[in-house]
Structure formats: structure tokens, C-alpha cells
Amino acid sequence: MNIPPSLIILSLVVLFLTLFFVVGINESLPAFVKTEYDSICNRYFSNIIINGGLTSTDITNLKNELTQLGLSNININIFMDGDINTPAPPDRKIEWGRRATLLVTADYEYESVSFNGGKKSSKHTLKYENSSTVLSLDND
Amino acid sequence: MKITFLLLATFIIIFFIFGAFALVDLIKINIITVQSEDKMIAAAWSGFTEIDLNKLAVRKNIENEENRDIYLDKEKAENIIRQYIKYNFRLDDLYMPKEDSFINSKDHPLIIEKLEIYNPDDYTSSTITIKGKNINRTSIYIYFKVPIEFSFIGTLYKELHIVVDSKTFYSTNQQ
């Protein structure tokens, strides 16, 4: 059987174009979520530095925003002096000049196309951690 | 004729394979850039606790909350900022990324090209412009380079600039 060369090239173009999009979607989905996740966490981290911590309402709001993003198993830790065993006092009571860290972990599960043509479930654990000194004088 | 088609097919395959890797690398750059800026801004913020008490004692504009002058002890502020940079980026004393750092190139250091602290007497005595914006509040400017490892070509540095001031903060980046 004599296959025209142009048909071979067309098949290769289609094959690699498909591969390109599969890789693109597989890699882009978690990346977009990660960027949004960092942006949300960073907003609350700024609140910690400016206000001396988060209230329980703030923490609930943060959890809700991350849940709406499609994340599960969300853990939020605010601790002081770079030591996870020194939790921050609740309700914006971290003193001026103390080192505060926001650590948030969450799972992102999504379905992607596998190379054998089916769907596969993928899970990424996202982590946000940032540290600075509290600049609020209102809670001393 | 067949050789021409074969070459064309090879070119198309290579183009798409490299295209897929390039796409992954672009996503990688975006994620590392956003994280680097967030962490550097947080580190810069820590410098605002190092207030120069001697200048604070004699400063003017103390009653006007909006235009209140803040003077930082530049040496102390820089020291604490550098501590936070190492902590936030997970770097050793030579600014090499540790194993748990989000920076994917572990054998190249993060480079801090400039770390400038501007007090009111700096920006009132002369005009200071960074990335097209005039500095008119006590500010901390950091120009740094983050190593990013790419497929096939190895590690390249991404240049970033952040400015944090006493009221608001903003960042700009340069490719």
C-alpha cells in the first residue's frame, strides 16, 4: 500500500497538535489555580501584617474563597517567630514587630486526559508560605 | 521529493515537541515570578520595623498622619530584610536555594543587585525615579535576579524589581 507523503505529514501534524493541546491543558489547569491561590493567600497575608492577624471570620472567608476555587483539605496556620509550634494569638493580637508566618496547604484534584485516551484523576497539593513582621500598632 | 517530505515531517515533530516544553517553561516562569515577588515584598516589609529613633525624635510632620515622615535605620533595615529573604526563599547564607525552596534551579544563587532604602531626606534632596515612578514616601527598592531552570537550555535569570513604601506597595517586573 502506497501512502501519500502528504497524508503522513497531515497525520503527524494532527497527532502532535493534539499532543500539544493535551500537554497544554494538563499543565495549565493547576498553574492557573496555583496563581489564583497565591493571590488569595497573599491578600490575607497582607491583612496579617497590616492588622496583626486574622479574625475567625477572616479565616472562614479565606477557607470559603479557596473552596470556591475547587480546593479541598484546606489547612491554615498562622504562627510566630518562624516556629510552627508557636501559634499566633487569635483575633489580630500579634504585637508590632513580631515575625508572623502564614502557611496554607490545600489539595487540588482535577481530571485530565491521559495519553491512552481515557481520563485520569490528578491531585496536586498546593502550599503557600510567607513571612514578615507585623506592622500594626492597634493590638498592643 | 520524499526526502523533502521527510524533512518537513521531522521539522513539524520537533517544532511541536519543543513547543510543548516551551509552554511548560512559560507556565513555570509565571509561577516562579509571582511567588518571588510576593516573597520579596514580604521581606521588604519587614524593614519598616527598623525605625531610626534618633531621627524620629526630631522629625517634622509628626501630627499629620497622612504625610508623617518615617525614617528607617538603613543598616538595621537591610539586615532584617536579608534575613527574611533567606527565610522566605529558603536560601542558605550564600543565597543558594535549599532543597525545599520553590526555586527549581538549586545550583545557582539568587542575586540581589540592589537593595536601596530611601528616607525622606533622600527623596526631598533629589528626585528619585524607579521604573518611571517618583519616590515620594519612605521606600525600599530591591532589584534581584531569580534563577530558573529551563528545559534543554539550563538555568537563566529572571530580573525583577519591587518597591515597597510606607503607605502602599507596588511591584514592577522586567523580562
Side-chain angles (χ1 to χ4, degrees):
Chain A
M1 193 175 135
N2 194 12
I3 302 171
S6 55
L7 187 64
I8 297 173
I9 291 174
L10 184 67
S11 309
L12 284 170
V13 169
V14 171
L15 177 71
F16 281 96
L17 200 60
T18 310
L19 189 67
F20 184 75
F21 279 109
V22 168
V23 171
I25 291 167
N26 278 356
E27 293 294 329
S28 305
L29 270 177
F32 285 130
V33 171
K34 169 70 175 153
T35 306
E36 184 64 22
Y37 168 80
D38 280 341
S39 166
I40 293 170
C41 292
N42 208 49
R43 188 153 36 84
Y44 282 86
F45 173 70
S46 305
N47 282 342
I48 293 172
I49 301 308
I50 293 164
N51 299 320
L54 297 179
T55 63
S56 53
T57 311
D58 293 331
I59 291 172
T60 307
N61 290 341
L62 172 55
K63 270 190 181 168
N64 288 343
E65 284 192 51
L66 296 180
T67 306
Q68 281 170 13
L69 202 59
L71 305 177
S72 58
N73 198 19
I74 300 160
N75 284 303
I76 300 169
N77 278 295
I78 306 168
F79 54 90
M80 299 194 299
D81 307 328
D83 180 7
I84 198 164
N85 297 315
T86 311
D91 296 325
R92 301 178 175 174
K93 291 290 181 194
I94 310 174
E95 303 96 347
W96 186 86
R98 288 292 290 272
R99 178 185 190 161
T101 304
L102 174 64
L103 171 64
V104 183
T105 56
D107 289 340
Y108 176 55
E109 289 183 67
Y110 66 103
E111 283 194 338
S112 60
V113 181
S114 70
F115 287 104
N116 60 19
K119 284 183 179 177
K120 63 171 183 177
S121 183
S122 303
K123 186 168 95 171
H124 282 256
T125 298
L126 306 181
K127 181 182 175 188
Y128 173 91
E129 186 176 6
N130 217 350
S131 221
S132 192
T133 46
V134 169
L135 299 173
S136 170
L137 287 168
D138 298 335
N139 42 25
D140 286 343
Chain B
M1 189 68 175
K2 279 184 179 175
I3 291 172
T4 309
F5 276 115
L6 198 63
L7 285 173
L8 191 59
T10 310
F11 174 76
I12 290 168
I13 292 168
I14 291 172
F15 177 79
F16 280 112
I17 289 173
F18 278 94
F21 278 104
L23 183 70
V24 173
D25 282 344
L26 279 174
I27 293 167
K28 203 187 293 174
I29 293 174
N30 182 51
I31 290 178
I32 293 178
T33 299
V34 170
Q35 282 187 295
S36 298
E37 286 185 332
D38 288 349
K39 287 175 189 294
M40 194 57 89
I41 285 169
W45 244 345
S46 67
F48 281 92
T49 52
E50 299 302 327
I51 290 170
D52 186 335
L53 294 174
N54 291 327
K55 289 225 168 161
L56 186 76
V58 294
R59 70 181 181 170
K60 296 171 183 174
N61 288 336
I62 197 163
E63 288 176 4
N64 184 337
E65 193 172 335
E66 194 60 31
N67 298 315
R68 190 181 284 170
D69 291 341
I70 295 172
Y71 282 86
L72 300 179
D73 183 319
K74 293 187 179 183
E75 196 179 329
K76 285 183 181 172
E78 178 169 345
N79 284 341
I80 196 159
I81 291 166
R82 286 184 181 274
Q83 282 175 33
Y84 274 89
I85 291 171
K86 286 183 213 164
Y87 181 82
N88 284 347
F89 284 82
R90 297 283 191 276
L91 307 173
D92 66 15
D93 287 339
L94 298 172
Y95 294 87
M96 297 291 282
K98 294 178 182 171
E99 272 313 302
D100 58 345
S101 173
F102 69 94
I103 295 173
N104 65 348
S105 177
K106 307 293 184 198
D107 52 358
H108 288 72
L110 180 137
I111 299 170
I112 298 170
E113 290 283 358
K114 275 187 187 172
L115 199 166
E116 304 279 357
I117 296 161
Y118 301 111
N119 280 330
D121 48 11
D122 295 317
Y123 59 73
T124 49
S125 59
S126 61
T127 304
I128 297 167
T129 307
I130 296 171
K131 307 291 289 176
K133 290 192 177 186
N134 283 343
I135 298 295
N136 53 16
R137 292 194 186 101
T138 304
S139 303
I140 295 169
Y141 165 57
I142 304 174
Y143 164 33
F144 63 107
K145 294 178 178 174
V146 185
I148 303 176
E149 193 172 316
F150 293 93
S151 317
F152 305 112
I153 52 174
T155 298
L156 296 174
Y157 277 93
K158 166 95 177 173
E159 294 185 3
L160 295 165
H161 303 256
I162 63 115
V163 180
V164 181
D165 69 34
S166 53
K167 274 288 173 194
T168 55
F169 63 86
Y170 61 89
S171 67
T172 56
N173 66 74
Q174 184 182 44
Q175 189 72 40

